[in-house]
């Protein structure tokens, strides 16, 4: 039996930090005791089960990271009230849907971070990930029309764009900037031939 290669602790640190954050988020308890226990569990998991080291992009933008966190907590509070209102006003008559969204990035870190950020917000849950195409499939509340589905796709890609600006690779950032430049060209009345393919990829 082939022995699992030993991963240096320095490379495990980003994964450990992410697992500890998820532990606190799932238990909704960020106390010191719970986080320390989560760190012990995370260390045991990454050393027993084979998990590839997290490949970092080599860049980190604290300003966009702060913006992402503020946006995340705003949407978390807003979605909580929306789910409460829907449960009172519509109850079991809410129409739901599974919406597929193709992301820009093929980075495991960004795809995972985007999926978890969306799943932590009430009203949406990632039910499947197609790693080969970087496509997330989300079960979403109160989605009954194509316009509602398009709104979900836009929100998912906006979440990904914030993460790309925060921790994405330079290649992903260039793709995002090119897409934004193309969108500005469309709104300025100068649509290009790539515009249709961009819209088709996101549907």
């Amino acid at each position: 039996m082939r022995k699992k290669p030993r991963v240096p602790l320095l490379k495990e640190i980003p994964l450990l930090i992410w697992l500890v954050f998820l532990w606190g988020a799932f238990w909704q308890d960020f106390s010191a005791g719970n986080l320390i226990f989560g760190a012990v569990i995370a260390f045991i998991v990454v050393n027993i089960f084979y998990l590839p080291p997290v490949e970092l992009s080599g860049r980190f933008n604290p300003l966009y990271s702060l913006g992402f966190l503020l946006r995340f907590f705003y949407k978390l509070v807003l979605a909580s009230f929306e789910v409460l209102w829907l449960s009172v006003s519509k109850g079991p008559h809410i129409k739901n849907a599974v919406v597929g969204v193709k992301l820009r990035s093929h980075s495991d870190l960004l795809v995972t971070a985007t999926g978890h950020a969306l799943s932590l917000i009430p009203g949406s849950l990632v039910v499947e990930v197609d790693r080969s195409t970087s496509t997330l499939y989300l079960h979403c509340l109160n989605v009954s029309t194509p316009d509602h589905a398009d709104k979900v796709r836009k929100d998912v890609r906006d979440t990904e764009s914030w993460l790309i600006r925060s921790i994405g690779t330079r290649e992903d950032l260039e793709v995002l900037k090119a897409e934004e430049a193309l969108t500005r060209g469309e709104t300025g009345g100068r649509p290009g031939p790539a515009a249709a393919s961009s819209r088709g990829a996101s549907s």
Side-chain angles (χ1 to χ4, degrees):
M1 182 177 179
R2 190 173 169 181
K3 190 176 180 180
K4 167 188 166 183
R6 173 63 185 166
V7 178
L9 180 61
L10 188 61
K11 285 190 174 183
E12 286 184 344
I13 287 177
L15 180 58
L16 290 171
I17 293 174
W18 180 247
L19 290 175
V20 171
F21 171 77
L22 291 180
W23 178 270
F26 285 139
W27 286 103
Q28 298 183 359
D29 181 5
F30 287 92
S31 64
N34 189 53
L35 292 181
I36 290 173
F37 184 71
V40 173
I41 297 295
F43 183 79
I44 293 173
V45 167
V46 299
N47 282 277
I48 291 180
F49 301 101
Y50 179 74
L51 295 172
V54 176
E55 296 183 12
L56 301 182
S57 64
R59 55 176 298 276
F60 173 73
N61 189 309
L63 184 61
Y64 278 111
S65 297
L66 178 60
F68 169 78
L69 290 175
L70 292 175
R71 178 182 182 274
F72 172 77
F73 285 114
Y74 167 75
K75 294 189 72 65
L76 183 67
V77 173
L78 182 63
S80 299
F81 282 106
E82 287 179 347
V83 171
L84 175 62
W85 169 248
L86 288 172
S87 64
V88 172
S89 61
K90 293 187 176 182
H93 302 293
I94 299 175
K95 292 185 177 180
N96 308 319
V98 174
V99 181
V101 187
K102 190 177 188 306
L103 303 181
R104 305 171 185 88
S105 175
H106 288 268
S107 163
D108 287 340
L109 177 62
L110 279 175
V111 172
T112 303
T114 303
H116 280 298
L118 295 167
S119 292
L120 289 171
I121 295 175
S124 63
L125 179 67
V126 176
V127 294
E128 187 176 346
V129 179
D130 187 340
R131 186 181 178 191
S132 63
T133 60
S134 291
T135 301
L136 300 181
Y137 294 91
L138 298 94
H139 180 273
C140 306
L141 293 179
N142 199 34
V143 176
S144 56
T145 67
D147 287 341
H148 290 165
D150 287 340
K151 185 178 179 182
V152 170
R153 293 188 182 99
K154 182 181 183 304
D155 183 65
V156 171
R157 289 172 66 83
D158 285 347
T159 299
E160 184 201 19
S161 69
W162 275 98
L163 285 168
I164 288 175
R165 290 186 176 95
S166 302
I167 59 173
T169 64
R170 298 187 187 280
E171 291 78 10
D172 287 334
L173 188 60
E174 289 302 318
V175 170
L176 178 61
K177 288 180 178 178
E179 182 182 288
E180 291 176 341
L182 183 62
T183 302
R184 287 194 296 270
E186 284 186 349
T187 56
R190 299 186 300 276
S197 62
S198 175
R199 287 196 300 268
S202 64
S203 63

